[in-house]
Coordinates of all heavy atoms in Angstrom, one line a residue:
M1 N 0.8 -1.2 0.0 CA 0.0 0.0 0.0 C 0.9 1.2 0.0 O 1.9 1.3 0.7 CB -0.9 0.0 1.2 CG -1.9 1.1 1.3 SD -3.0 0.8 2.6 CE -4.2 1.9 2.3
A2 N 0.5 2.2 -0.8 CA 1.4 3.4 -0.9 C 1.2 4.3 0.3 O 0.2 4.3 1.0 CB 0.9 4.2 -2.2
K3 N 2.4 4.9 0.6 CA 2.4 5.8 1.8 C 1.6 7.1 1.5 O 1.7 7.6 0.4 CB 3.8 6.1 2.1 CG 4.0 7.0 3.3 CD 5.5 7.2 3.6 CE 5.6 8.3 4.6 NZ 7.0 8.7 4.8
K4 N 0.8 7.5 2.4 CA 0.0 8.7 2.2 C 0.9 10.0 2.3 O 1.6 10.1 3.2 CB -1.1 8.8 3.3 CG -2.1 9.9 3.1 CD -3.2 9.9 4.2 CE -4.1 11.1 4.0 NZ -5.2 11.1 5.0
P5 N 0.8 10.8 1.2 CA 1.6 12.0 1.2 C 1.2 13.0 2.3 O 0.1 13.1 2.7 CB 1.4 12.6 -0.2 CG 0.1 12.1 -0.6 CD -0.1 10.8 0.1
K6 N 2.2 13.8 2.8 CA 1.9 14.8 3.8 C 1.1 16.0 3.1 O 1.3 16.2 1.9 CB 3.2 15.4 4.3 CG 4.0 14.3 5.1 CD 5.2 14.9 5.7 CE 6.0 13.8 6.5 NZ 7.2 14.3 7.0
P7 N 0.3 16.7 3.9 CA -0.4 17.8 3.3 C 0.4 18.9 2.7 O 0.0 19.5 1.7 CB -1.2 18.4 4.5 CG -1.2 17.3 5.5 CD 0.0 16.5 5.3
T8 N 1.7 19.1 3.2 CA 2.5 20.1 2.6 C 3.0 19.7 1.2 O 3.5 20.5 0.5 CB 3.8 20.3 3.5 OG1 4.4 19.1 3.7 CG2 3.3 20.9 4.8
E9 N 2.9 18.4 0.9 CA 3.3 18.0 -0.5 C 2.3 18.3 -1.5 O 2.6 18.1 -2.7 CB 3.6 16.4 -0.4 CG 4.8 16.1 0.5 CD 5.0 14.6 0.6 OE1 4.2 13.8 0.0 OE2 5.9 14.2 1.3
H10 N 1.1 18.7 -1.2 CA 0.1 19.0 -2.1 C -0.4 20.5 -1.9 O -1.3 20.8 -1.3 CB -1.2 18.1 -1.9 CG -0.9 16.7 -2.2 ND1 -0.7 16.2 -3.5 CD2 -0.7 15.6 -1.4 CE1 -0.5 14.9 -3.5 NE2 -0.5 14.5 -2.3
P11 N 0.3 21.4 -2.6 CA 0.0 22.8 -2.4 C -1.4 23.2 -3.0 O -2.0 24.2 -2.6 CB 1.1 23.6 -3.1 CG 1.7 22.6 -4.0 CD 1.5 21.2 -3.4
D12 N -1.9 22.4 -3.9 CA -3.1 22.7 -4.6 C -4.3 22.2 -3.7 O -5.5 22.5 -4.0 CB -3.2 22.1 -6.0 CG -3.0 20.6 -6.0 OD1 -2.4 20.1 -5.0 OD2 -3.5 19.9 -6.9
K13 N -4.0 21.4 -2.7 CA -5.1 20.9 -1.8 C -5.5 22.0 -0.8 O -4.7 22.5 0.0 CB -4.6 19.7 -1.0 CG -5.7 19.0 -0.3 CD -5.2 17.7 0.3 CE -6.3 17.0 1.0 NZ -5.9 15.7 1.6
L14 N -6.7 22.5 -0.9 CA -7.1 23.6 -0.1 C -7.4 23.3 1.4 O -6.9 24.1 2.2 CB -8.4 24.2 -0.7 CG -8.3 24.8 -2.1 CD1 -9.7 25.3 -2.6 CD2 -7.3 25.9 -2.1
R15 N -8.0 22.2 1.7 CA -8.3 21.9 3.1 C -8.4 20.4 3.2 O -8.8 19.7 2.2 CB -9.5 22.6 3.6 CG -10.7 22.3 2.8 CD -11.9 23.1 3.4 NE -13.0 22.8 2.5 CZ -14.1 23.5 2.5 NH1 -14.3 24.5 3.4 NH2 -15.1 23.2 1.7
P16 N -8.2 19.9 4.4 CA -8.3 18.4 4.6 C -9.8 18.0 4.6 O -10.7 18.8 4.8 CB -7.7 18.2 5.9 CG -7.7 19.5 6.6 CD -7.7 20.5 5.6
D17 N -10.0 16.7 4.3 CA -11.4 16.2 4.3 C -11.9 16.1 5.8 O -11.1 16.3 6.7 CB -11.5 14.9 3.6 CG -10.8 13.8 4.2 OD1 -11.2 13.3 5.3 OD2 -9.8 13.3 3.6
V18 N -13.1 15.7 6.0 CA -13.7 15.6 7.3 C -13.0 14.6 8.2 O -12.7 14.9 9.4 CB -15.2 15.2 7.2 CG1 -15.8 15.1 8.6 CG2 -15.9 16.3 6.4
A19 N -12.6 13.5 7.7 CA -11.9 12.5 8.5 C -10.5 13.0 9.0 O -10.1 12.8 10.2 CB -11.7 11.2 7.7
E20 N -9.8 13.7 8.1 CA -8.5 14.3 8.5 C -8.7 15.3 9.6 O -7.9 15.4 10.5 CB -7.8 14.9 7.3 CG -7.3 13.8 6.3 CD -6.7 14.4 5.1 OE1 -7.1 15.6 4.8 OE2 -5.9 13.8 4.4
T21 N -9.7 16.2 9.4 CA -10.0 17.2 10.4 C -10.3 16.6 11.8 O -9.8 17.0 12.8 CB -11.1 18.1 9.9 OG1 -10.8 18.7 8.7 CG2 -11.4 19.3 10.9
A22 N -11.2 15.6 11.8 CA -11.5 14.9 13.0 C -10.3 14.3 13.7 O -10.1 14.4 14.9 CB -12.6 13.9 12.8
F23 N -9.5 13.6 12.9 CA -8.3 13.0 13.5 C -7.3 14.0 14.1 O -6.8 13.9 15.2 CB -7.6 12.2 12.4 CG -6.3 11.5 12.8 CD1 -6.5 10.4 13.7 CD2 -5.1 11.9 12.4 CE1 -5.3 9.7 14.1 CE2 -4.0 11.2 12.9 CZ -4.1 10.1 13.7
R24 N -7.1 15.1 13.4 CA -6.3 16.2 13.8 C -6.8 16.8 15.1 O -6.1 17.1 16.1 CB -6.1 17.3 12.8 CG -5.2 18.4 13.2 CD -3.8 18.0 13.2 NE -3.0 19.1 13.7 CZ -1.7 19.0 14.0 NH1 -1.1 17.8 13.8 NH2 -1.0 20.0 14.5
T25 N -8.1 17.0 15.2 CA -8.8 17.6 16.4 C -8.6 16.6 17.6 O -8.3 17.1 18.7 CB -10.3 17.8 16.1 OG1 -10.4 18.6 15.0 CG2 -11.0 18.4 17.3
M26 N -8.7 15.3 17.3 CA -8.5 14.3 18.4 C -7.1 14.4 18.9 O -6.9 14.3 20.1 CB -8.9 12.9 17.9 CG -8.8 11.8 18.9 SD -7.2 11.0 19.2 CE -6.8 10.5 17.5
L27 N -6.1 14.5 18.0 CA -4.7 14.5 18.4 C -4.5 15.8 19.3 O -3.8 15.7 20.3 CB -3.8 14.5 17.2 CG -3.7 13.1 16.5 CD1 -2.8 13.3 15.3 CD2 -3.2 12.0 17.4
E28 N -5.0 16.9 18.8 CA -4.8 18.2 19.6 C -5.5 18.1 20.9 O -5.0 18.6 21.9 CB -5.4 19.3 18.8 CG -4.6 19.6 17.5 CD -5.2 20.7 16.7 OE1 -6.2 21.3 17.1 OE2 -4.6 21.0 15.6
A29 N -6.7 17.5 21.0 CA -7.4 17.4 22.3 C -6.7 16.5 23.3 O -6.8 16.8 24.5 CB -8.9 16.9 22.0
T30 N -6.1 15.5 22.8 CA -5.4 14.6 23.7 C -4.0 15.0 24.0 O -3.3 14.3 24.7 CB -5.4 13.1 23.2 OG1 -4.8 13.1 21.9 CG2 -6.9 12.6 23.1
G31 N -3.5 16.1 23.4 CA -2.2 16.5 23.6 C -1.1 15.8 22.8 O 0.1 16.0 23.1
Q32 N -1.5 15.0 21.9 CA -0.5 14.3 21.1 C 0.1 15.1 19.9 O 1.1 14.7 19.3 CB -1.1 13.0 20.5 CG -1.6 12.1 21.6 CD -2.3 10.9 21.0 OE1 -2.2 10.6 19.9 NE2 -3.1 10.2 21.9
A33 N -0.6 16.2 19.6 CA -0.1 17.1 18.6 C -0.3 18.6 19.0 O -1.2 18.8 19.8 CB -0.9 16.9 17.3
P34 N 0.6 19.5 18.6 CA 0.4 20.9 19.0 C -0.8 21.5 18.3 O -1.3 21.0 17.3 CB 1.7 21.5 18.4 CG 2.2 20.7 17.3 CD 1.8 19.3 17.7
K35 N -1.4 22.5 19.0 CA -2.5 23.2 18.5 C -2.2 23.8 17.2 O -1.2 24.4 16.9 CB -3.0 24.2 19.5 CG -3.4 23.7 20.8 CD -4.8 23.1 20.7 CE -5.2 22.6 22.1 NZ -6.5 21.9 22.1
T36 N -3.2 23.8 16.2 CA -3.1 24.4 14.9 C -3.6 25.8 15.0 O -4.8 26.0 15.5 CB -3.9 23.6 13.9 OG1 -3.4 22.2 13.9 CG2 -3.7 24.1 12.5
L37 N -2.9 26.8 14.6 CA -3.3 28.1 14.6 C -4.3 28.4 13.4 O -4.2 27.8 12.4 CB -2.2 29.1 14.5 CG -1.2 29.1 15.6 CD1 0.0 30.1 15.3 CD2 -1.9 29.6 16.9
P38 N -5.3 29.2 13.7 CA -6.2 29.6 12.6 C -5.4 30.3 11.4 O -4.4 30.9 11.7 CB -7.2 30.6 13.2 CG -7.1 30.4 14.6 CD -5.7 29.9 14.9
P39 N -5.9 30.2 10.2 CA -5.2 30.8 9.1 C -4.9 32.3 9.3 O -3.9 32.8 8.8 CB -6.1 30.6 7.9 CG -7.0 29.5 8.3 CD -7.1 29.5 9.8
A40 N -5.7 33.0 10.0 CA -5.5 34.5 10.2 C -4.3 34.7 11.0 O -3.6 35.7 10.9 CB -6.7 35.1 10.8
Q41 N -3.9 33.8 11.9 CA -2.7 34.0 12.8 C -1.5 33.4 12.2 O -0.4 33.5 12.7 CB -3.0 33.3 14.1 CG -4.1 34.0 14.9 CD -4.5 33.4 16.2 OE1 -3.9 32.4 16.5 NE2 -5.4 33.9 16.9
R42 N -1.6 32.6 11.1 CA -0.4 32.0 10.5 C 0.1 32.9 9.3 O -0.1 32.5 8.2 CB -0.8 30.6 9.9 CG -0.8 29.6 11.0 CD -1.0 28.2 10.4 NE -2.4 28.0 10.2 CZ -3.0 27.3 9.2 NH1 -2.3 26.7 8.4 NH2 -4.3 27.1 9.1
T43 N 0.7 34.0 9.6 CA 1.2 34.9 8.5 C 2.5 34.4 8.0 O 2.7 34.5 6.8 CB 1.3 36.3 9.0 OG1 2.3 36.3 10.1 CG2 0.0 36.8 9.5
G44 N 3.4 33.9 8.8 CA 4.7 33.5 8.3 C 5.6 34.7 8.0 O 6.6 34.5 7.3
K45 N 5.2 35.9 8.4 CA 6.0 37.1 8.1 C 6.8 37.5 9.3 O 6.4 37.3 10.4 CB 5.0 38.2 7.7 CG 4.3 38.0 6.4 CD 3.4 39.2 6.1 CE 2.6 38.9 4.8 NZ 1.7 40.0 4.5
N46 N 8.0 38.0 9.0 CA 8.9 38.5 10.0 C 8.3 39.9 10.4 O 8.2 40.8 9.7 CB 10.3 38.7 9.4 CG 11.3 39.2 10.4 OD1 10.9 39.7 11.4 ND2 12.5 38.9 10.1
E47 N 8.0 40.0 11.7 CA 7.4 41.2 12.3 C 8.3 42.4 12.1 O 7.8 43.5 11.8 CB 7.0 41.0 13.7 CG 6.0 40.0 14.0 CD 4.7 40.3 13.4 OE1 4.3 41.5 13.3 OE2 4.0 39.4 12.9
E48 N 9.6 42.2 12.2 CA 10.5 43.4 12.0 C 10.5 43.9 10.6 O 10.5 45.1 10.3 CB 11.9 42.9 12.4 CG 12.9 44.1 12.4 CD 14.3 43.6 12.8 OE1 14.4 42.7 13.6 OE2 15.3 44.1 12.3
A49 N 10.5 42.9 9.6 CA 10.4 43.3 8.2 C 9.1 44.0 7.9 O 9.1 45.0 7.1 CB 10.6 42.1 7.4
V50 N 8.0 43.6 8.5 CA 6.7 44.2 8.2 C 6.8 45.6 8.7 O 6.3 46.6 8.1 CB 5.6 43.4 8.9 CG1 4.3 44.2 8.9 CG2 5.4 42.0 8.3
A51 N 7.3 45.9 9.9 CA 7.4 47.2 10.5 C 8.3 48.1 9.6 O 7.9 49.3 9.3 CB 8.0 47.2 11.9
R52 N 9.4 47.6 9.1 CA 10.2 48.4 8.2 C 9.5 48.7 6.9 O 9.6 49.9 6.4 CB 11.5 47.7 7.9 CG 12.5 47.7 9.0 CD 13.9 47.2 8.5 NE 13.9 46.1 7.7 CZ 14.1 44.8 8.1 NH1 14.4 44.6 9.4 NH2 14.1 43.8 7.3
G53 N 8.8 47.8 6.4 CA 8.1 48.0 5.1 C 7.0 49.0 5.3 O 6.8 49.9 4.4
S54 N 6.2 49.0 6.4 CA 5.1 50.0 6.5 C 5.7 51.4 6.8 O 5.1 52.4 6.4 CB 4.2 49.5 7.7 OG 4.9 49.6 8.9
K55 N 6.9 51.4 7.4 CA 7.5 52.7 7.6 C 7.9 53.4 6.3 O 7.6 54.6 6.1 CB 8.7 52.6 8.5 CG 9.5 53.9 8.8 CD 10.7 53.7 9.6 CE 11.4 55.0 9.8 NZ 12.7 54.8 10.4
G56 N 8.4 52.6 5.4 CA 8.8 53.1 4.1 C 7.6 53.5 3.3 O 7.6 54.5 2.6
G57 N 6.5 52.8 3.4 CA 5.3 53.1 2.7 C 4.7 54.4 3.2 O 4.1 55.2 2.4
K58 N 4.8 54.7 4.4 CA 4.2 56.0 5.0 C 5.0 57.1 4.5 O 4.5 58.2 4.2 CB 4.2 55.9 6.5 CG 3.2 54.9 7.1 CD 3.4 54.8 8.6 CE 2.5 53.7 9.1 NZ 2.7 53.4 10.5
I59 N 6.3 56.9 4.3 CA 7.2 58.0 3.8 C 7.0 58.2 2.3 O 7.0 59.3 1.8 CB 8.7 57.7 4.1 CG1 8.9 57.7 5.6 CG2 9.6 58.7 3.5 CD1 10.2 57.2 6.1
G60 N 6.9 57.1 1.6 CA 6.9 57.1 0.1 C 5.8 58.0 -0.5 O 6.1 58.7 -1.5
G61 N 4.6 57.9 0.0 CA 3.5 58.7 -0.6 C 3.7 60.2 -0.5 O 3.5 61.0 -1.4
K62 N 4.2 60.6 0.7 CA 4.4 62.1 0.9 C 5.6 62.5 0.0 O 5.6 63.6 -0.6 CB 4.7 62.3 2.4 CG 4.9 63.8 2.7 CD 4.8 64.1 4.1 CE 5.1 65.5 4.5 NZ 4.6 66.5 3.6
A63 N 6.7 61.7 -0.1 CA 7.8 62.1 -0.9 C 7.4 62.2 -2.4 O 7.9 63.1 -3.1 CB 8.9 61.1 -0.7
R64 N 6.5 61.3 -2.8 CA 6.1 61.4 -4.2 C 5.3 62.6 -4.5 O 5.5 63.3 -5.5 CB 5.3 60.1 -4.5 CG 4.8 60.1 -6.0 CD 4.1 58.8 -6.3 NE 3.6 58.8 -7.6 CZ 2.4 58.6 -8.0 NH1 1.4 58.3 -7.2 NH2 2.1 58.6 -9.3
A65 N 4.4 62.9 -3.5 CA 3.5 64.1 -3.7 C 4.4 65.4 -3.7 O 4.1 66.3 -4.4 CB 2.5 64.2 -2.6
D66 N 5.4 65.4 -2.8 CA 6.3 66.6 -2.8 C 7.1 66.8 -4.0 O 7.4 67.9 -4.4 CB 7.2 66.5 -1.6 CG 6.5 66.6 -0.2 OD1 5.4 67.2 -0.2 OD2 7.1 66.3 0.8
S67 N 7.4 65.7 -4.7 CA 8.2 65.8 -5.9 C 7.4 66.2 -7.2 O 8.0 66.4 -8.2 CB 9.0 64.5 -6.2 OG 8.1 63.5 -6.5
M68 N 6.0 66.2 -7.1 CA 5.2 66.5 -8.2 C 4.8 67.9 -8.2 O 4.7 68.6 -7.2 CB 3.9 65.6 -8.2 CG 4.1 64.2 -8.6 SD 2.5 63.4 -8.8 CE 2.6 62.3 -7.5
T69 N 4.4 68.4 -9.4 CA 3.9 69.7 -9.6 C 2.4 69.7 -9.2 O 1.8 68.6 -9.2 CB 4.0 70.3 -11.0 OG1 3.2 69.5 -11.8 CG2 5.5 70.2 -11.5
P70 N 1.8 70.8 -8.8 CA 0.4 70.9 -8.5 C -0.5 70.4 -9.7 O -1.5 69.7 -9.5 CB 0.1 72.3 -8.2 CG 1.4 72.9 -7.8 CD 2.4 72.1 -8.5
E71 N -0.1 70.6 -10.9 CA -0.8 70.2 -12.1 C -0.8 68.6 -12.2 O -1.8 68.0 -12.5 CB -0.2 70.8 -13.4 CG -0.4 72.3 -13.5 CD 0.6 73.1 -12.7 OE1 1.7 72.5 -12.4 OE2 0.3 74.2 -12.4
Q72 N 0.3 68.0 -11.9 CA 0.4 66.6 -11.9 C -0.5 66.0 -10.9 O -1.2 65.0 -11.1 CB 1.9 66.1 -11.7 CG 2.8 66.4 -12.9 CD 4.2 66.1 -12.6 OE1 4.7 66.3 -11.5 NE2 4.9 65.5 -13.6
R73 N -0.5 66.5 -9.7 CA -1.3 66.0 -8.6 C -2.8 66.2 -8.9 O -3.6 65.3 -8.6 CB -1.0 66.7 -7.3 CG 0.4 66.4 -6.7 CD 0.5 66.8 -5.2 NE 0.3 68.2 -5.0 CZ 1.3 69.1 -5.1 NH1 2.5 68.7 -5.3 NH2 1.0 70.4 -4.9
T74 N -3.1 67.3 -9.6 CA -4.5 67.5 -10.0 C -5.0 66.4 -11.0 O -6.1 65.8 -10.9 CB -4.7 68.9 -10.6 OG1 -4.3 69.9 -9.7 CG2 -6.1 69.1 -11.1
V75 N -4.1 66.1 -12.0 CA -4.5 65.1 -13.0 C -4.7 63.7 -12.3 O -5.7 63.0 -12.6 CB -3.4 65.0 -14.1 CG1 -3.6 63.7 -14.9 CG2 -3.3 66.2 -14.9
I76 N -3.8 63.4 -11.4 CA -3.9 62.1 -10.7 C -5.2 62.0 -9.8 O -5.9 61.0 -9.8 CB -2.6 61.8 -9.8 CG1 -1.5 61.6 -10.8 CG2 -2.8 60.6 -8.9 CD1 -0.1 61.5 -10.1
A77 N -5.5 63.1 -9.1 CA -6.6 63.2 -8.3 C -7.9 63.1 -9.1 O -8.9 62.4 -8.7 CB -6.6 64.5 -7.5
K78 N -8.0 63.7 -10.2 CA -9.2 63.6 -11.1 C -9.4 62.2 -11.6 O -10.5 61.7 -11.7 CB -9.0 64.6 -12.3 CG -9.3 66.0 -11.9 CD -9.2 66.9 -13.1 CE -9.4 68.4 -12.7 NZ -9.4 69.3 -13.9
K79 N -8.3 61.5 -12.0 CA -8.4 60.2 -12.5 C -8.9 59.3 -11.3 O -9.7 58.4 -11.6 CB -7.0 59.7 -12.9 CG -7.0 58.3 -13.5 CD -5.6 58.0 -14.0 CE -5.6 56.5 -14.6 NZ -4.3 56.1 -15.0
A80 N -8.4 59.5 -10.1 CA -8.8 58.6 -9.0 C -10.3 58.9 -8.7 O -11.0 57.9 -8.4 CB -8.0 58.9 -7.8
A81 N -10.7 60.1 -8.7 CA -12.1 60.4 -8.4 C -13.0 59.9 -9.4 O -14.1 59.3 -9.1 CB -12.3 62.0 -8.3
S82 N -12.7 59.9 -10.7 CA -13.5 59.4 -11.7 C -13.6 57.9 -11.6 O -14.6 57.3 -11.9 CB -13.0 59.8 -13.1 OG -11.8 59.2 -13.4
G83 N -12.5 57.2 -11.2 CA -12.5 55.8 -11.0 C -13.4 55.4 -9.8 O -14.1 54.4 -9.9
R84 N -13.5 56.2 -8.8 CA -14.3 55.9 -7.7 C -15.8 56.1 -8.0 O -16.7 55.3 -7.5 CB -14.0 56.8 -6.5 CG -12.7 56.4 -5.8 CD -12.5 57.1 -4.5 NE -12.5 58.5 -4.6 CZ -11.3 59.2 -4.8 NH1 -10.2 58.6 -4.8 NH2 -11.3 60.5 -4.9
W85 N -16.1 57.0 -8.9 CA -17.5 57.3 -9.2 C -18.0 56.6 -10.4 O -19.2 56.7 -10.8 CB -17.7 58.8 -9.4 CG -17.7 59.5 -8.0 CD1 -16.6 60.1 -7.5 CD2 -18.7 59.6 -7.1 NE1 -16.9 60.6 -6.3 CE2 -18.2 60.3 -6.0 CE3 -20.1 59.2 -7.1 CZ2 -19.0 60.6 -4.9 CZ3 -20.8 59.5 -6.0 CH2 -20.3 60.2 -4.9
E86 N -17.2 55.8 -11.1 CA -17.5 55.1 -12.3 C -18.6 54.0 -11.9 O -18.6 53.4 -10.9 CB -16.3 54.4 -12.8 CG -16.5 53.7 -14.2 CD -15.2 53.2 -14.7 OE1 -14.4 53.9 -15.3 OE2 -15.0 52.0 -14.5
K87 N -19.6 53.8 -12.8 CA -20.6 52.8 -12.6 C -20.0 51.4 -12.6 O -19.1 51.1 -13.4 CB -21.7 52.9 -13.6 CG -22.5 54.1 -13.5 CD -23.7 54.0 -14.5 CE -24.5 55.3 -14.4 NZ -25.6 55.3 -15.3
P88 N -20.4 50.5 -11.7 CA -19.9 49.2 -11.6 C -20.2 48.4 -12.9 O -21.3 48.5 -13.4 CB -20.5 48.5 -10.4 CG -21.6 49.4 -10.0 CD -21.4 50.8 -10.6
K89 N -19.2 47.7 -13.4 CA -19.4 46.9 -14.6 C -20.1 45.6 -14.3 O -19.7 44.9 -13.3 CB -18.1 46.7 -15.3 CG -17.4 47.9 -15.7 CD -16.1 47.7 -16.3 CE -15.4 49.0 -16.7 NZ -14.0 48.9 -17.0
G90 N -21.0 45.2 -15.1 CA -21.6 43.9 -14.8 C -23.0 43.8 -15.0 O -23.9 44.1 -15.3

């Protein structure tokens, strides 16, 4: 009988079936396996890198606006406003 592949070996598999979920829940409840974090808490991102990235993003918009002429900012603002007020397609 072929060995069952690990879930990490199938990236296209979205979620385990009901039997796998029940088995995993039993293992977690009895302490045989560590608790599984919900997807919202499993970011896998480095917190320090996230902080550095958001800092740069906050600076970038102001620096870009300061480097543009008032006419350029007006054109961009008009394009953004028309995009927001455009009728939804569909």
Side-chain angles (χ1 to χ4, degrees):
M1 184 171 192
K3 183 179 168 186
K4 186 175 179 181
K6 295 181 181 179
T8 56
E9 295 174 0
H10 293 288
D12 58 335
K13 189 174 182 181
L14 298 178
R15 58 182 177 191
D17 65 69
V18 178
E20 290 175 337
T21 303
F23 182 69
R24 180 73 187 172
T25 303
M26 184 272 305
L27 290 177
E28 291 175 3
T30 58
Q32 297 175 19
K35 297 282 184 185
T36 305
L37 294 175
Q41 295 177 358
R42 281 187 274 150
T43 60
K45 295 182 181 179
N46 182 341
E47 296 298 325
E48 185 179 327
V50 170
R52 284 195 314 263
S54 65
K55 180 181 177 187
K58 291 173 186 171
I59 295 170
K62 182 160 175 43
R64 179 174 181 233
D66 289 343
S67 68
M68 283 193 245
T69 66
E71 292 80 22
Q72 289 173 321
R73 289 195 303 269
T74 302
V75 169
I76 291 171
K78 285 182 180 180
K79 183 178 177 183
S82 67
R84 285 191 298 269
W85 288 95
E86 188 176 276
K87 289 186 178 180
K89 296 175 184 172

